Amino acid sequence: MTAKHSWWFFVGLYGLTLTDNNWTPEQMLFSDSTIAPTNLFLQANEETDEAARAATLAMLGMRPWREILDMSSVKFGNLIQQPPPDAFIAIRRNRKPNKENEIAESALNRAREIAAMLTIARSHGSFAIDGFMDVSSLERTPTIGIIPYPRLDNATGQFSSQHRIYCARWLREPDRFSLAELSSSLEQGTSLQTIDGRVWSIYVADHFITVMKTFKRTAAQQRLVRAALHLYDAHHCATPEQRLTQAVTSLEMLFSGTTNFSLLTRRLSALLPIDTQNHEKIELVMKLRHGYVHNGDRIEQSAGDLTLGLAAMAMYCFAEAISYFPTIEVFEDRLDLISSIQQSTSLSQTERQSLLNNVGSVAPITKTRWLELRSSEVR
C-alpha cells in the first residue's frame, strides 16, 4: 500500500496519551494501525492561516465543534461538552472512493478492536490471581474510550469530517507512555505503569494480544474478538448492574450452547486456573446476575468490578487454550470432561486430582504461568 493510495482515519483515544513530540506514519504498532499523539496536527498546521488551522483542529476534536458545525441542527447541540482526545488511534486503509462507507466502517471497527485490546490488557494486568480486578479509581468510567474524527486522503492532502457525537462519560487522567515504551511492551513484554501505579503490558507472546492484533483468525478466535468487544463495552457501562450483566454476556459468547448458566459456570471453573474455593466467586456472579435479571435485585459496585476482572481473565485463558485445540467443540469437550471430574462427589480428593493429572489441563496453562502474567513486578 503506497502513501498516495491510502486513507488515514484518526479515532480519538481517551485514557492514554503519548509523550512523543514527533510521529511518522512508518511508526506502526499494529500492522495497519498505531497510536498517534495529538500534537502531530499542531505541528503540521503551524504555518497555516488561523481560519484553516481552527477548522482543521475543530474537525480533529481539538477545538469545539461549534466552530465548524451548525450545532442548532444537532439535538441538544448547545449542551454538548466536547472533550479533546488524549491521543489518536491512526488506521491506514487502501484508498477506494467507490467503497468509502465500507472502508470507514472497517476503520472504526478496527479502532474498537485496538481499544478493546488495550482496555482488557490494562484490566487484566491490574489484579492478582486471587484478587481479581480493582477499578475503584475509574469511577464507573471505561478504561479507554474512542470517538471518530477525521479521514485524511493522502492523494489530495484533504481532511473530511465524520460528524458523530458520543457521550463523554469516560474522562479520567490518562496514562502517559512513549511510542518506544508501547513498542517495547508489545515486543518484549516490558511493563507499562498506570497513572495510579499499577502495571500492565501488551506483550504479543500472550495469545490474547496476538489474536486482537492480527487479521487472519480462526472461527474460535473470531468468537473471542466478538466477546472481547462486548466486554470492552461493559467497561463503558454506568452502573454495576449493567457492567455485571454485559460482562457475563461476553462470557456466554465464548462458548456454544451456554444459555444454560450451570454449564457456563462449570466450563469457567474448568477454564480458569484459580483455586477450587475461588470457584465460588464464579457461582456468586451467576447468582447475582439471576437475581438482577429476574428479581431486580441491586448489585454492589464491587460485584460489577469482580465480574469485569473474571471476564478479563477468561479472555486471556480462552485465547491461550484455543490455540491448542483443532475446533471449539473439541475444546468444550475437554472443559466438560474436566468439569465432570471436578464436580464428582464419589471421588476422593486424591482420586480426583489423579484423574485431573491424567486428563491434563485444558492447555499448557499452569497456575504459575498465570501468576507470572499477573505479576506486579516490572519485567
Side-chain angles (χ1 to χ4, degrees):
M1 184 192 307
T2 64
K4 286 292 185 180
H5 293 85
S6 64
W7 277 334
W8 282 90
F9 293 84
F10 296 92
V11 179
L13 182 64
Y14 295 84
L16 188 157
T17 190
L18 291 181
T19 58
D20 299 74
N21 290 321
N22 298 301
W23 177 84
T24 64
E26 289 72 33
Q27 295 174 284
M28 303 294 285
L29 286 171
F30 312 117
S31 301
D32 69 329
S33 54
T34 190
I35 311 299
T38 56
N39 65 1
L40 77 103
F41 295 105
L42 298 177
Q43 296 168 359
N45 287 274
E46 283 179 352
E47 299 182 2
T48 307
D49 67 85
E50 181 57 29
R53 178 182 170 87
T56 298
L57 293 179
M59 190 182 301
L60 291 166
M62 303 302 295
R63 291 178 68 156
W65 281 328
R66 55 178 48 89
E67 294 186 9
I68 59 170
L69 296 178
D70 178 9
M71 300 306 287
S72 64
S73 64
V74 180
K75 189 176 183 179
F76 304 117
N78 62 318
L79 300 178
I80 291 175
Q81 298 298 313
Q82 174 202 343
D86 297 316
F88 291 104
I89 299 177
I91 304 101
R92 184 173 57 198
R93 287 288 181 266
N94 285 324
R95 187 176 186 275
K96 298 179 180 179
N98 61 327
K99 294 185 177 180
E100 183 174 343
N101 291 337
E102 293 92 329
I103 298 298
E105 194 64 29
S106 165
L108 182 55
N109 289 340
R110 181 59 170 162
R112 290 189 70 241
E113 289 181 2
I114 297 300
M117 179 188 71
L118 295 172
T119 297
I120 294 171
R122 187 183 190 275
S123 299
H124 168 266
S126 298
F127 56 92
I129 198 165
D130 59 349
F132 289 89
M133 182 181 181
D134 174 12
V135 293
S136 58
S137 63
L138 300 184
E139 297 298 332
R140 297 193 294 277
T141 63
T143 302
I144 297 172
I146 61 174
I147 181 170
Y149 284 119
R151 185 194 71 208
L152 170 64
D153 187 339
N154 270 11
T156 64
Q158 298 296 310
F159 282 102
S160 60
S161 183
Q162 300 177 69
H163 300 161
R164 301 192 187 190
I165 296 175
Y166 283 61
C167 172
R169 188 181 293 148
W170 48 70
L171 296 184
R172 67 172 178 83
E173 185 70 21
D175 297 335
R176 301 177 63 85
F177 308 113
S178 67
L179 275 170
E181 288 173 317
L182 291 174
S183 180
S184 177
S185 183
L186 184 70
E187 296 173 5
Q188 302 173 31
T190 54
S191 294
L192 302 167
Q193 187 164 336
T194 68
I195 195 69
D196 53 359
R198 299 188 179 100
V199 294
W200 59 298
S201 77
I202 49 174
Y203 194 22
V204 75
D206 293 332
H207 283 77
F208 174 76
I209 300 298
T210 299
V211 170
M212 298 299 293
K213 178 179 178 290
T214 56
F215 307 103
K216 293 183 179 179
R217 296 162 177 158
T218 66
Q221 289 172 338
Q222 291 172 11
R223 184 191 291 264
L224 170 65
V225 172
R226 289 192 294 268
L229 288 172
H230 201 81
L231 179 58
Y232 169 63
D233 289 337
H235 282 77
H236 293 64
C237 293
T239 68
E241 289 83 3
Q242 291 172 322
R243 289 199 296 282
L244 185 143
T245 53
Q246 192 150 321
V248 170
T249 300
S250 74
L251 294 173
E252 291 181 76
M253 294 169 69
L254 291 176
F255 304 105
S256 59
T258 45
T259 51
N260 179 335
F261 282 92
S262 295
L263 176 59
L264 177 60
T265 301
R266 293 195 299 272
R267 285 178 173 174
L268 288 173
S269 296
L271 174 65
L272 300 180
I274 52 182
D275 293 336
T276 302
Q277 58 265 35
N278 284 332
H279 291 170
E280 295 175 2
K281 295 181 179 179
I282 301 172
E283 296 172 356
L284 171 64
V285 164
M286 298 304 172
K287 182 179 179 181
L288 289 172
R289 178 206 169 274
H290 180 89
Y292 172 67
V293 170
H294 298 284
N295 302 321
D297 295 346
R298 184 173 179 271
I299 293 175
E300 297 292 336
Q301 172 87 17
S302 58
D305 296 346
L306 170 68
T307 312
L308 291 176
L310 180 72
M313 181 188 287
M315 298 295 154
Y316 268 73
C317 289
F318 186 91
E320 185 92 11
I322 58 176
S323 64
Y324 298 98
F325 290 87
T327 66
I328 189 73
E329 290 77 18
V330 174
F331 171 47
E332 290 172 345
D333 286 344
R334 178 66 66 85
L335 285 177
D336 294 341
L337 176 59
I338 293 174
S339 175
S340 68
I341 297 172
Q342 289 176 336
Q343 299 293 320
S344 174
T345 58
S346 62
L347 297 172
S348 68
Q349 181 60 36
T350 301
E351 291 170 331
R352 184 180 296 110
Q353 191 58 53
S354 177
L355 280 172
L356 287 174
N357 291 339
N358 290 329
V359 169
S361 61
V362 170
I365 312 172
T366 64
K367 187 173 181 180
T368 301
R369 168 62 175 152
W370 286 106
L371 284 168
E372 175 188 324
L373 287 175
R374 290 164 183 77
S375 173
S376 60
E377 298 178 0
V378 177
R379 293 173 180 171

